[in-house]
Amino acid sequence: MSLTAETLAIDDRFFGAVLICANEMLTIYKESPRIASIFAAQQRWLMAHSGFALHYGLPGEEKKGLYSGRFVDFVVSNKIASRNTAAAFLQEMLVYRFLRPSSGQADRRTRLVEPTETAEQHFFKWLQTHLFILDNLDGGTRAEKLSTEPALIAKIQPLIAQAIIATKAVRDPGATYNLFNWANSGGLVMDYLMSRLPAFDGAAERISIGPVSLSDLRTQFMISNTHLKRLLSQAAEMGSVGWDEPPRKGDLWLSHGFILEYRDYQAAKFAVVDAAAETVLGRAI
């Protein structure tokens, strides 16, 4: 039986594992800022999953294949983004060479596109990171099984995409999480802040993560000064972050509620990944 979000959230080891995942995302960003930008905001992340799922084949649908009209309709019908945003995203992926015209084009009336090796390699790494963390929690062999037969990603990914789109705890974790994760580069800023946590004390109202340089954040994540200050100011107004000394001086702290939103979102996401892996790979142990 796959792990539930509730089981993961109350596991004392889980949050430490989540911080490993946050650090992995930061490593991916350093290696490839363009790839990481897809994971840096919820909307782009959901559109990327949608594109992969349409290419591999959605569960229960005989038709498979990724092309502009189908992608835009899917994104709009699932309330992920507007038609213009979806179309622009697909074009951006072609420009950045994460997508290319499909080599197996059968219908000349429809311009099929497919993920490039670069895109597939990065998604494989994302999935393997999640499977590795799950394996560390229960002694499973998910990551090893996928490494042995990497083509199975084509069966696992559509299940993940279908579930994350339908799961409210993943789509709408909470006000502060949404504030960061719907902003350009906001997801990476949030991962960085969480990665600085020394530990999670469930009884503490706030936890200090030490001094944080806004200049370093701007440089590292290529985010404008105005955008970053607005993001942190809004989070501060919500009581989710703050500084020991005004204005923006001393150690930065994160609120208990903000940390719980982040943890619970990760628990819901990992539960989705585990359920998909169990369906395709079998029981973890």
Side-chain angles (χ1 to χ4, degrees):
M1 184 175 180
S2 61
L3 297 168
T4 66
E6 292 75 18
T7 299
L8 289 168
I10 63 174
D11 189 327
D12 291 338
R13 301 166 300 161
F14 178 68
F15 197 71
V18 162
L19 298 185
I20 293 174
C21 192
N23 278 301
E24 182 65 25
M25 288 307 305
L26 297 173
T27 299
I28 291 174
Y29 181 83
K30 292 175 183 176
E31 293 174 353
S32 177
R34 283 180 174 173
I35 278 286
S37 71
I38 298 171
F39 296 90
Q42 176 89 314
Q43 188 180 67
R44 294 170 66 80
W45 182 70
L46 290 172
M47 286 194 288
H49 270 290
S50 299
F52 270 113
L54 292 172
H55 168 68
Y56 290 136
L58 285 166
E61 292 189 13
E62 292 184 10
K63 180 181 180 181
K64 65 179 181 178
L66 175 60
Y67 57 90
S68 181
R70 189 178 186 213
F71 176 77
V72 170
D73 288 345
F74 183 84
V75 167
V76 172
S77 65
N78 284 284
K79 299 180 180 179
I80 296 170
S82 68
R83 301 188 73 84
N84 287 343
T85 299
F89 178 81
L90 201 68
Q91 186 59 38
E92 181 185 349
M93 296 303 98
L94 285 163
V95 170
Y96 289 160
R97 298 182 181 179
F98 299 143
L99 289 176
R100 65 188 172 203
S102 176
S103 57
Q105 185 83 29
D107 185 351
R108 294 185 178 181
R109 295 170 298 178
T110 302
R111 186 193 177 200
L112 290 175
V113 295
E114 63 187 12
T116 61
E117 288 81 4
T118 298
E120 289 191 311
Q121 287 167 5
H122 276 85
F123 183 79
F124 186 85
K125 186 175 182 179
W126 177 90
L127 180 56
Q128 278 289 68
T129 298
H130 284 69
L131 297 182
F132 178 76
I133 287 172
L134 289 166
D135 288 342
N136 279 344
L137 291 175
D138 64 9
T141 57
R142 304 168 185 82
E144 181 183 346
K145 288 178 181 178
L146 185 62
S147 292
T148 302
E149 199 170 350
L152 289 177
I153 194 172
K155 294 183 177 180
I156 297 174
Q157 192 281 330
L159 293 174
I160 293 173
Q162 188 177 58
I164 61 173
I165 289 171
T167 303
K168 187 179 186 300
V170 178
R171 292 285 298 266
D172 184 22
T176 310
Y177 190 98
N178 292 344
L179 170 68
F180 279 88
N181 217 33
W182 282 93
N184 288 335
S185 297
L188 291 170
V189 172
M190 178 166 55
D191 281 338
Y192 173 77
L193 297 179
M194 293 295 171
S195 75
R196 293 279 303 270
L197 283 168
F200 179 48
D201 180 356
E205 293 186 7
R206 58 180 63 168
I207 298 177
S208 173
I209 61 172
V212 173
S213 167
L214 299 194
S215 176
D216 288 348
L217 287 179
R218 292 195 303 269
T219 301
Q220 184 172 353
F221 302 119
M222 294 185 290
I223 184 172
S224 72
N225 186 52
T226 300
H227 182 50
L228 178 61
K229 284 186 175 180
R230 183 185 301 119
L231 186 62
L232 292 174
S233 293
Q234 287 180 283
E237 289 171 6
M238 297 165 71
S240 301
V241 305
W243 287 262
D244 289 341
E245 303 171 22
R248 299 190 182 93
K249 301 291 185 181
D251 292 348
L252 179 70
W253 53 261
L254 308 180
S255 75
H256 179 266
F258 183 21
I259 297 169
L260 283 185
E261 283 184 9
Y262 187 84
R263 185 203 66 181
D264 291 348
Y265 160 80
Q266 294 287 352
K269 181 187 64 172
F270 272 87
V272 163
V273 172
D274 189 33
E278 183 176 284
T279 298
V280 177
L281 302 174
R283 291 192 62 186
I285 302 173

